[in-house]
Amino acid sequence: MKFRKIHLAAAAVFLICGLSGGCREEVLLPDLEGDLVGYVYTFDEFANLMEDHGDVLVSAYGVGRVYHTHTDVNGRFEYKNLRSGTYELHLEKPGFGTLKQLGIQHLGGEPTILGLNFNGTYHTAFFLYQMSTAQIAYLTVEADTISGVFDFTGEQPEGLYLLMYLSNEPDFSRQEAKYVIYQYLRYSNGRYQNALQYWQFPFETGEEIYCRACVITLRGSISDFGNQRVYGVDTYFDYDSYLTVYPNAGDESDQFSFIYPE
Amino acid sequence: MQEMNRTSFLLFIRNSLFVLFMVTASGSLFSCGEDPEPLTTNSVLKGKAYLAYYDETGYDGIRVLASGPYGQTSTLTDTYGHFTFSGLGNGTYFLEYSKDGCGTLRQYGIRLFGYDTVWAQEVQLFKIPGPDYTMPSFISASSETIDGTAYIIIETSLPEASYSYLPTMLFMDVTSEVSWKSYEISYPGDLDHYNDIYINLESLSFKSGTRVYVIGYICNPLEYSSGYLDTYLGISLYSTLDPSKYSNVVSFIMP
C-alpha cells in the first residue's frame, strides 16, 4: 500500500514537472545560436589612432533582450552563443561619440564576423572618435576662402575638418540643409583657412548662403594586419530624423552668411 | 486461481502505465535542447581552391570542410580546383582548406540565408617547407647601397661558401618583442646571396632614424602577399610558418 502511494506520487511529480517546466522558454525560429565577432578602432579627437582600443562597451539590442560585452585592448569584441536575429549595435565609451549600427544580421551556427574579409579586400571596422573639444570662436567666408579661429583645450593641430551645413534660407534646421560639405582647414598665419570648392554647390551666383559648422575629424581608413587597408564605419543613418549622424561632431557654430561668388 | 491471474494482470497493467508515465514525463522535461532543425535545406556553396605552385597531380584533391550549425561535411576539389556543397541548411559556416604537405586555411563568416547560391572567395594553398630546413642565427643587420639600390643586409650564420635555398619570412617592428604574432611589416627572406638575406629598402615604411627589429621564421616565402587574415582571431597568419623554427632578433637603424 505504501509502495503504491510512493509510485503514484513519483509519477505525478514527474508529469507535472515535464509538462510545466520542460519547454517553458519561448522558442524563436530559427533557434540557432552562434558567436558574433567585431572589431573597433579608437581615435583621439584629431583622428590619431590610439594604442589601446579596449573597454568600449558594445551593446546588442535584439528581440526583447539586450546583450553587453567589451572590446579587448586590440579592439576585438565577441558575443558567445548569441541567439540568431537582427541586432542594433551601440558602441560607446566615456568621452567618445556613441556609434550605432542597425541591421546586423546574425544567422547563428559558426561565428558571424563583422567587417573583415578573408582575402584582404575591403575590410571594414568600427571607428570610434573622442568627442571634439575644439570651440569655434569665429568663422567667415570671403571670396573663395573660408577661415576661422578656434579654441583648443589641448595641443593645437596642424589642420582640422569642419562639417558645414549650407542653405539659401536663414534659420534652417539640419534636415532643411541644401548641402553638406566636409571641409579641411590648415593652420596658417594665426588662423585656419582653405579654399572652398564652390563648383560643387547647388546655389546661384549672387545668392546669400547661410552656414553653420561644427568641428569633426574622420580618418577614413588605416593600415593593419600587415599593411592591409581597413575602412572605417563611423557614421549611421537615423531613421527618425532622416539624418546622417556623426557621433563625434562638436558643437555647432552660430549661423553666418556669405554671398555666392561668380 | 482465476482471481490470482486477474490480480496479476491488473498489476502488470498498472506497472506498465507507470513506466509509460515516467517515460512521457521525462521526454517532456528533456525535449528542449535538441539539435536545431534548419528552416531551409537548399543553399548551395561554391568556391575554388588551388595550389600556389603547379603540382603534377593537378589542382584536384584539396579537401574542403564545411562546418555549420548542423554539423560538418567535406568534399574534394576537381581538376580545376572547383568545389560545390549542395543542400546546405540556413546559417553561418566556415570553410577549412587542407591538403597533405600544404598549409591549412580557414575562411569564416559565410552566411547562407536559404534559397541562395553563395560564392566563397578563391583560396590559394602553399607548400609547407620540408622538415630538413632549420633557421640559422642572424649575426647582424646593416644598410648598404649596391648598384644604386639601397638594401638592408642580414648576415646569417650559414657558411659563406654555401648557396642554398632557405624559405624564410621576416617580421619587423619597432619593438624587440617582434614575432609572427606581433609585427608591423613582413618580408620574404629567402636567401638571395649565399649566406645573406637582402631586403629592398623601398619596401620598408619605417621613419628614418627608427631602430627596427627583425626576426625570421621558416615559412614558404610565396605566401608573402597572400598571408591570410584569420577573421575570427583578427590576426594575419601564414599557413606554412613553423613557429618553432625561428632566428634570434637583430636590429638596424632605418637610413
Side-chain angles (χ1 to χ4, degrees):
Chain A
M1 185 66 172
K2 184 178 178 182
F3 182 69
R4 189 171 116 180
K5 283 184 180 175
I6 292 172
H7 247 120
L8 288 172
V13 167
F14 259 91
L15 194 58
I16 290 167
C17 288
L19 291 177
S20 65
C23 292
R24 179 181 299 151
E25 193 176 349
E26 180 188 0
V27 176
L28 298 176
L29 290 176
D31 59 346
L32 294 180
E33 294 180 339
D35 299 347
L36 177 75
V37 175
Y39 298 88
V40 181
Y41 292 86
T42 55
F43 302 83
D44 68 15
E45 64 174 305
F46 300 116
N48 297 308
L49 185 66
M50 303 179 94
E51 289 188 1
D52 184 347
H53 307 304
D55 295 324
V56 175
L57 173 64
V58 186
S59 304
Y61 291 80
V63 178
R65 296 182 72 166
V66 184
Y67 304 85
H68 302 285
T69 189
H70 288 83
T71 57
D72 63 17
V73 67
N74 297 312
R76 180 182 183 275
F77 66 86
E78 179 175 11
Y79 292 96
K80 297 292 251 182
N81 300 321
L82 186 68
R83 179 172 284 177
S84 65
T86 302
Y87 289 84
E88 179 175 318
L89 293 187
H90 292 196
L91 300 99
E92 50 194 313
K93 186 174 180 178
F96 290 74
T98 295
L99 179 65
K100 298 180 185 179
Q101 287 296 295
L102 283 67
I104 303 296
Q105 293 175 313
H106 175 58
L107 297 186
E110 295 296 343
T112 297
I113 311 294
L114 300 179
L116 298 191
N117 273 311
F118 171 77
N119 68 353
T121 57
Y122 203 73
H123 300 304
T124 63
F126 299 113
F127 283 13
L128 222 61
Y129 302 86
Q130 280 183 328
M131 293 297 297
S132 175
T133 58
Q135 297 292 320
I136 301 174
Y138 174 75
L139 266 182
T140 185
V141 173
E142 291 175 15
D144 64 349
T145 300
I146 177 168
S147 63
V149 175
F150 301 85
D151 297 323
F152 301 100
T153 55
E155 196 175 323
Q156 183 171 293
E158 291 181 1
L160 54 79
Y161 285 88
L162 289 180
L163 201 58
M164 297 175 62
Y165 299 90
L166 304 167
S167 175
N168 50 7
E169 299 286 337
D171 303 317
F172 62 95
S173 66
R174 204 176 271 195
Q175 284 100 325
E176 294 165 341
K178 294 279 176 53
Y179 197 64
V180 181
I181 60 171
Y182 186 57
Q183 176 71 41
Y184 179 68
L185 276 66
R186 185 178 294 107
Y187 184 74
S188 170
N189 299 324
R191 55 177 53 202
Y192 290 81
Q193 56 190 7
N194 209 341
L196 270 179
Q197 303 298 323
Y198 277 111
W199 58 272
Q200 302 177 60
F201 291 8
F203 301 114
E204 304 286 336
T205 302
E207 252 190 315
E208 184 168 13
I209 309 302
Y210 300 89
C211 175
R212 294 198 305 277
C214 52
V215 176
I216 184 174
T217 305
L218 301 174
R219 183 66 177 262
S221 66
I222 59 162
S223 176
D224 199 356
F225 309 118
N227 278 336
Q228 296 190 34
R229 198 117 290 267
V230 180
Y231 294 89
V233 175
D234 48 22
T235 63
Y236 63 94
F237 192 76
D238 186 325
Y239 287 94
D240 291 327
S241 62
Y242 293 97
L243 290 175
T244 297
V245 177
Y246 298 82
N248 61 316
D251 295 334
E252 269 189 14
S253 69
D254 293 331
Q255 180 178 284
F256 65 97
S257 67
F258 58 94
I259 302 298
Y260 189 76
E262 289 188 18
Chain B
M1 179 66 78
Q2 280 185 337
E3 189 61 32
M4 283 183 65
N5 287 339
R6 183 168 174 272
T7 303
S8 299
F9 178 73
L10 287 174
L11 275 174
F12 171 77
I13 294 297
R14 187 202 69 184
N15 290 341
S16 298
L17 284 175
F18 174 75
V19 170
L20 189 62
F21 264 127
M22 296 290 281
V23 168
T24 304
S26 298
S28 300
L29 187 63
F30 297 113
S31 62
C32 288
E34 290 173 347
D35 291 338
E37 290 290 324
L39 286 180
T40 62
T41 56
N42 49 23
S43 291
V44 176
L45 180 54
K46 291 175 173 286
K48 181 177 179 179
Y50 55 96
L51 306 179
Y53 65 99
Y54 180 71
D55 188 291
E56 58 270 17
T57 62
Y59 289 156
D60 61 346
I62 294 174
R63 180 171 178 260
V64 187
L65 173 76
S67 182
Y70 318 105
Q72 295 182 333
T73 180
S74 66
T75 188
L76 296 175
T77 56
D78 63 17
T79 309
Y80 302 101
H82 296 143
F83 65 88
T84 299
F85 292 99
S86 301
L88 294 179
N90 57 288
T92 305
Y93 291 74
F94 74 73
L95 295 177
E96 184 175 276
Y97 304 84
S98 61
K99 184 171 184 177
D100 287 346
C102 296
T104 297
L105 308 178
R106 266 200 187 178
Q107 184 181 357
Y108 287 97
I110 300 170
R111 296 188 296 180
L112 304 180
F113 288 84
Y115 298 95
D116 51 353
T117 298
V118 174
W119 173 260
Q121 294 158 356
E122 284 191 9
V123 170
Q124 264 190 333
L125 266 65
F126 296 87
K127 193 174 182 181
I128 296 174
D132 295 337
Y133 288 109
T134 57
M135 198 66 205
S137 299
F138 286 176
I139 297 174
S140 66
S142 57
S143 60
E144 189 172 329
T145 300
I146 301 172
D147 295 333
T149 302
Y151 294 96
I152 295 294
I153 301 172
I154 297 178
E155 185 185 353
T156 75
S157 61
L158 288 173
E160 198 167 314
S162 71
Y163 181 85
S164 58
Y165 172 68
L166 182 71
T168 308
M169 192 68 69
L170 302 177
F171 297 90
M172 287 171 267
D173 206 335
V174 295
T175 163
S176 59
E177 305 300 314
V178 61
S179 74
W180 68 270
K181 293 182 192 177
S182 176
Y183 64 94
E184 199 167 318
I185 292 176
S186 63
Y187 192 88
D190 50 327
L191 290 173
D192 289 333
H193 299 265
Y194 297 92
N195 64 324
D196 297 335
I197 300 174
Y198 280 54
I199 306 170
N200 192 319
L201 214 55
E202 284 186 6
S203 304
L204 305 184
S205 55
F206 296 105
K207 287 183 181 176
S208 174
T210 303
R211 178 165 289 280
V212 180
Y213 297 85
V214 189
I215 189 171
Y217 291 80
I218 293 294
C219 177
N220 188 336
L222 286 177
E223 268 202 281
Y224 167 55
S225 60
S226 303
Y228 81 100
L229 179 59
D230 185 312
T231 55
Y232 176 68
L233 298 175
I235 57 174
S236 283
L237 293 177
Y238 289 90
S239 65
T240 63
L241 185 142
D242 187 342
S244 68
K245 294 184 177 180
Y246 56 94
S247 71
N248 52 304
V249 176
V250 292
S251 68
F252 61 90
I253 300 291
M254 187 69 182

